[in-house]
Amino acid sequence: MMNRTARISSGIVTIAGLVMAGWFYPTSISAGQVSGGRMHDRRADHSSTLLPDGRVLITGGMVENGVFLNSAELYDPVKQTFVPTASMKSRRVGHSATLLPNGKVLIAGGLAGRTGPGIVATTEIFDPATGSFTWGPAMSAARSGQLAVALADKKILLVGGESYDEQALATVEVYDPASNHFSVAASMKTPRVAHAAVVLLDGRVLVTGGVKNQSSALASSEIYDPKTGSWQPVADMTAAREKHSATLLPDGRVLIIGGSVDGGWRPVRTAEIFDPRTNKFKVIGNMRSPRFKIPAAAAILRDGKVLLAGGAAEVEIYDSATGKFSPGGSVGEPHYFAAATPLRNGRVLVSGGYSSSPGRANGPLSTEQAWIYLP
């Protein structure tokens, strides 16, 4: 089950030496460093969503192999605290969480357990005003590890993922917040899980890499055009990748970093740029550290640089103006399937993940640690 979960996709911060009782240990804070704290639950492959009021909703994830969570908590950047909120209706790992136009959050799919419900088609909606979850409409198919992106018309596109029998999905569906309804959209050309997706400045959606079976990663990519409702292949990436990340840069290009060439523990240092004007990829300099299992661990900073905060012990910063990667501090361990969420104050909340834990019967143990990156 760890393989399936891995394929699908805090605490209280000290400022100026302040230590909040019980949950926090002190650490130095300065520009370019990382501060520490603890969530109320250990989590990896969870979701982390910035709400309109500046708080961050953290849901689900896994403690360890087979131990999945329905708990949720809210990070308040003003009070610098994590506060438990109502639990989700279902346990979920590898689910998607997407902010809706009305400020609520759509939680969809995911793996609910090794047996019983397995991978689910259920959804639920979080209301920040009440701090509660209510059931939403079911998706057209059970899926985990799908990617969910908001389109220009406010609808949500949910792409690929995998079924409970570990088959990658090419199917796609659209959630309409106005009607609270899912509809089937055109399928991708290639089934994909452990892929990456980003909405381009022109409204199209770029999907890259992933896997369609249990072996080699894909180099292929394709683009969804909401105007035509269709998918078209574009040039292959310069390298096959799964469990990588894709980040939209201010100039409209897309930074593609890391990943693995197969299902093994062989992360890569390579990086490339997608240019939507040519629909082609170009190799750029390598990262300082190899990293993978980072679908949600890269975050754009206010100055346009990119924070790379997961999959390696070292934090890195990518500067598109120079094309260089530079050190940004250390978090001690790799923290695979961590989440990085930009805050409204320009900082970045980095939460959870797991590191290798040799000899554990249930595989790696996730962490409750979280960090604030200070630009």
mmCIF file of all heavy atoms in Angstrom, residues 106-131:
data_model
loop_
_atom_site.group_PDB
_atom_site.id
_atom_site.type_symbol
_atom_site.label_atom_id
_atom_site.label_comp_id
_atom_site.label_asym_id
_atom_site.label_seq_id
_atom_site.Cartn_x
_atom_site.Cartn_y
_atom_site.Cartn_z
ATOM 1 N N LEU A 106 -13.256 22.320 -2.132
ATOM 2 C CA LEU A 106 -13.713 21.026 -2.626
ATOM 3 C C LEU A 106 -12.649 19.972 -2.345
ATOM 4 O O LEU A 106 -11.525 20.077 -2.827
ATOM 5 C CB LEU A 106 -13.985 21.099 -4.126
ATOM 6 C CG LEU A 106 -14.304 19.768 -4.819
ATOM 7 C CD1 LEU A 106 -15.666 19.243 -4.370
ATOM 8 C CD2 LEU A 106 -14.235 19.920 -6.337
ATOM 9 N N ILE A 107 -13.001 18.949 -1.573
ATOM 10 C CA ILE A 107 -12.124 17.818 -1.285
ATOM 11 C C ILE A 107 -12.632 16.636 -2.102
ATOM 12 O O ILE A 107 -13.820 16.281 -2.001
ATOM 13 C CB ILE A 107 -12.153 17.450 0.210
ATOM 14 C CG1 ILE A 107 -11.934 18.698 1.093
ATOM 15 C CG2 ILE A 107 -11.141 16.366 0.517
ATOM 16 C CD1 ILE A 107 -10.575 19.300 1.010
ATOM 17 N N ALA A 108 -11.777 16.023 -2.900
ATOM 18 C CA ALA A 108 -12.253 14.994 -3.824
ATOM 19 C C ALA A 108 -11.371 13.752 -3.811
ATOM 20 O O ALA A 108 -10.142 13.842 -3.792
ATOM 21 C CB ALA A 108 -12.326 15.555 -5.246
ATOM 22 N N GLY A 109 -12.036 12.583 -3.843
ATOM 23 C CA GLY A 109 -11.357 11.320 -4.051
ATOM 24 C C GLY A 109 -10.338 10.962 -2.991
ATOM 25 O O GLY A 109 -10.412 11.364 -1.840
ATOM 26 N N GLY A 110 -9.350 10.165 -3.407
ATOM 27 C CA GLY A 110 -8.299 9.725 -2.517
ATOM 28 C C GLY A 110 -8.474 8.281 -2.096
ATOM 29 O O GLY A 110 -9.475 7.625 -2.389
ATOM 30 N N LEU A 111 -7.482 7.785 -1.394
ATOM 31 C CA LEU A 111 -7.487 6.429 -0.861
ATOM 32 C C LEU A 111 -7.978 6.489 0.578
ATOM 33 O O LEU A 111 -7.373 7.148 1.424
ATOM 34 C CB LEU A 111 -6.078 5.849 -0.938
ATOM 35 C CG LEU A 111 -5.873 4.423 -0.444
ATOM 36 C CD1 LEU A 111 -6.696 3.436 -1.255
ATOM 37 C CD2 LEU A 111 -4.386 4.058 -0.512
ATOM 38 N N ALA A 112 -9.082 5.773 0.863
ATOM 39 C CA ALA A 112 -9.684 5.818 2.192
ATOM 40 C C ALA A 112 -9.257 4.661 3.076
ATOM 41 O O ALA A 112 -9.473 4.692 4.283
ATOM 42 C CB ALA A 112 -11.205 5.842 2.072
ATOM 43 N N GLY A 113 -8.657 3.617 2.494
ATOM 44 C CA GLY A 113 -8.214 2.481 3.279
ATOM 45 C C GLY A 113 -7.753 1.347 2.391
ATOM 46 O O GLY A 113 -8.068 1.300 1.212
ATOM 47 N N ARG A 114 -7.011 0.430 2.977
ATOM 48 C CA ARG A 114 -6.540 -0.720 2.208
ATOM 49 C C ARG A 114 -7.693 -1.623 1.802
ATOM 50 O O ARG A 114 -7.681 -2.250 0.749
ATOM 51 C CB ARG A 114 -5.571 -1.552 3.056
ATOM 52 C CG ARG A 114 -4.310 -0.859 3.456
ATOM 53 C CD ARG A 114 -3.375 -1.904 4.026
ATOM 54 N NE ARG A 114 -2.372 -1.321 4.896
ATOM 55 C CZ ARG A 114 -1.371 -2.008 5.407
ATOM 56 N NH1 ARG A 114 -1.253 -3.295 5.124
ATOM 57 N NH2 ARG A 114 -0.492 -1.441 6.196
ATOM 58 N N THR A 115 -8.667 -1.742 2.700
ATOM 59 C CA THR A 115 -9.849 -2.564 2.418
ATOM 60 C C THR A 115 -11.071 -1.677 2.572
ATOM 61 O O THR A 115 -10.970 -0.490 2.868
ATOM 62 C CB THR A 115 -9.929 -3.746 3.390
ATOM 63 O OG1 THR A 115 -9.984 -3.240 4.732
ATOM 64 C CG2 THR A 115 -8.718 -4.648 3.249
ATOM 65 N N GLY A 116 -12.250 -2.253 2.374
ATOM 66 C CA GLY A 116 -13.468 -1.465 2.518
ATOM 67 C C GLY A 116 -13.624 -0.504 1.366
ATOM 68 O O GLY A 116 -13.626 -0.919 0.202
ATOM 69 N N PRO A 117 -13.677 0.798 1.633
ATOM 70 C CA PRO A 117 -13.958 1.733 0.542
ATOM 71 C C PRO A 117 -12.838 1.849 -0.483
ATOM 72 O O PRO A 117 -13.074 2.171 -1.642
ATOM 73 C CB PRO A 117 -14.174 3.066 1.276
ATOM 74 C CG PRO A 117 -13.425 2.925 2.566
ATOM 75 C CD PRO A 117 -13.566 1.475 2.931
ATOM 76 N N GLY A 118 -11.592 1.593 -0.059
ATOM 77 C CA GLY A 118 -10.479 1.720 -1.006
ATOM 78 C C GLY A 118 -10.381 3.124 -1.560
ATOM 79 O O GLY A 118 -10.497 4.111 -0.843
ATOM 80 N N ILE A 119 -10.142 3.221 -2.864
ATOM 81 C CA ILE A 119 -10.139 4.520 -3.536
ATOM 82 C C ILE A 119 -11.588 4.920 -3.780
ATOM 83 O O ILE A 119 -12.396 4.111 -4.230
ATOM 84 C CB ILE A 119 -9.343 4.456 -4.847
ATOM 85 C CG1 ILE A 119 -7.846 4.346 -4.515
ATOM 86 C CG2 ILE A 119 -9.598 5.673 -5.725
ATOM 87 C CD1 ILE A 119 -6.951 4.227 -5.723
ATOM 88 N N VAL A 120 -11.915 6.179 -3.473
ATOM 89 C CA VAL A 120 -13.317 6.597 -3.452
ATOM 90 C C VAL A 120 -13.625 7.640 -4.519
ATOM 91 O O VAL A 120 -12.738 8.360 -4.990
ATOM 92 C CB VAL A 120 -13.701 7.148 -2.063
ATOM 93 C CG1 VAL A 120 -13.601 6.048 -1.013
ATOM 94 C CG2 VAL A 120 -12.805 8.331 -1.678
ATOM 95 N N ALA A 121 -14.918 7.707 -4.870
ATOM 96 C CA ALA A 121 -15.425 8.743 -5.781
ATOM 97 C C ALA A 121 -16.092 9.865 -4.999
ATOM 98 O O ALA A 121 -16.536 10.848 -5.596
ATOM 99 C CB ALA A 121 -16.420 8.131 -6.765
ATOM 100 N N THR A 122 -16.141 9.740 -3.679
ATOM 101 C CA THR A 122 -16.843 10.729 -2.862
ATOM 102 C C THR A 122 -16.102 12.057 -2.810
ATOM 103 O O THR A 122 -14.883 12.125 -2.970
ATOM 104 C CB THR A 122 -17.041 10.218 -1.431
ATOM 105 O OG1 THR A 122 -15.744 9.977 -0.843
ATOM 106 C CG2 THR A 122 -17.850 8.940 -1.409
ATOM 107 N N THR A 123 -16.863 13.116 -2.560
ATOM 108 C CA THR A 123 -16.293 14.437 -2.343
ATOM 109 C C THR A 123 -16.967 15.062 -1.124
ATOM 110 O O THR A 123 -18.038 14.627 -0.693
ATOM 111 C CB THR A 123 -16.499 15.376 -3.556
ATOM 112 O OG1 THR A 123 -17.878 15.783 -3.635
ATOM 113 C CG2 THR A 123 -16.095 14.697 -4.856
ATOM 114 N N GLU A 124 -16.334 16.064 -0.587
ATOM 115 C CA GLU A 124 -16.925 16.837 0.483
ATOM 116 C C GLU A 124 -16.462 18.276 0.372
ATOM 117 O O GLU A 124 -15.469 18.580 -0.308
ATOM 118 C CB GLU A 124 -16.623 16.251 1.856
ATOM 119 C CG GLU A 124 -15.204 15.762 2.079
ATOM 120 C CD GLU A 124 -15.103 14.895 3.340
ATOM 121 O OE1 GLU A 124 -15.389 15.418 4.435
ATOM 122 O OE2 GLU A 124 -14.727 13.712 3.228
ATOM 123 N N ILE A 125 -17.192 19.162 1.005
ATOM 124 C CA ILE A 125 -16.921 20.597 0.882
ATOM 125 C C ILE A 125 -16.716 21.184 2.271
ATOM 126 O O ILE A 125 -17.548 20.983 3.175
ATOM 127 C CB ILE A 125 -18.054 21.316 0.134
ATOM 128 C CG1 ILE A 125 -18.092 20.808 -1.322
ATOM 129 C CG2 ILE A 125 -17.847 22.825 0.176
ATOM 130 C CD1 ILE A 125 -19.214 21.362 -2.151
ATOM 131 N N PHE A 126 -15.609 21.892 2.445
ATOM 132 C CA PHE A 126 -15.297 22.546 3.712
ATOM 133 C C PHE A 126 -15.760 23.992 3.659
ATOM 134 O O PHE A 126 -15.472 24.718 2.701
ATOM 135 C CB PHE A 126 -13.797 22.507 3.991
ATOM 136 C CG PHE A 126 -13.401 23.248 5.240
ATOM 137 C CD1 PHE A 126 -13.611 22.694 6.491
ATOM 138 C CD2 PHE A 126 -12.820 24.512 5.157
ATOM 139 C CE1 PHE A 126 -13.258 23.380 7.654
ATOM 140 C CE2 PHE A 126 -12.450 25.205 6.309
ATOM 141 C CZ PHE A 126 -12.677 24.633 7.554
ATOM 142 N N ASP A 127 -16.469 24.416 4.695
ATOM 143 C CA ASP A 127 -16.943 25.790 4.812
ATOM 144 C C ASP A 127 -16.154 26.483 5.920
ATOM 145 O O ASP A 127 -16.322 26.156 7.099
ATOM 146 C CB ASP A 127 -18.432 25.798 5.142
ATOM 147 C CG ASP A 127 -19.027 27.204 5.127
ATOM 148 O OD1 ASP A 127 -18.259 28.187 5.115
ATOM 149 O OD2 ASP A 127 -20.270 27.307 5.129
ATOM 150 N N PRO A 128 -15.289 27.451 5.575
ATOM 151 C CA PRO A 128 -14.496 28.131 6.611
ATOM 152 C C PRO A 128 -15.344 28.890 7.616
ATOM 153 O O PRO A 128 -14.923 29.097 8.759
ATOM 154 C CB PRO A 128 -13.623 29.101 5.801
ATOM 155 C CG PRO A 128 -13.611 28.559 4.417
ATOM 156 C CD PRO A 128 -14.946 27.915 4.221
ATOM 157 N N ALA A 129 -16.547 29.299 7.210
ATOM 158 C CA ALA A 129 -17.409 30.067 8.110
ATOM 159 C C ALA A 129 -17.904 29.221 9.273
ATOM 160 O O ALA A 129 -18.072 29.716 10.393
ATOM 161 C CB ALA A 129 -18.596 30.637 7.340
ATOM 162 N N THR A 130 -18.123 27.936 9.029
ATOM 163 C CA THR A 130 -18.629 27.049 10.076
ATOM 164 C C THR A 130 -17.580 26.064 10.572
ATOM 165 O O THR A 130 -17.777 25.405 11.594
ATOM 166 C CB THR A 130 -19.835 26.244 9.555
ATOM 167 O OG1 THR A 130 -19.410 25.420 8.450
ATOM 168 C CG2 THR A 130 -20.941 27.185 9.080
ATOM 169 N N GLY A 131 -16.473 25.933 9.817
ATOM 170 C CA GLY A 131 -15.434 24.985 10.190
ATOM 171 C C GLY A 131 -15.871 23.554 10.052
ATOM 172 O O GLY A 131 -15.380 22.670 10.771
#
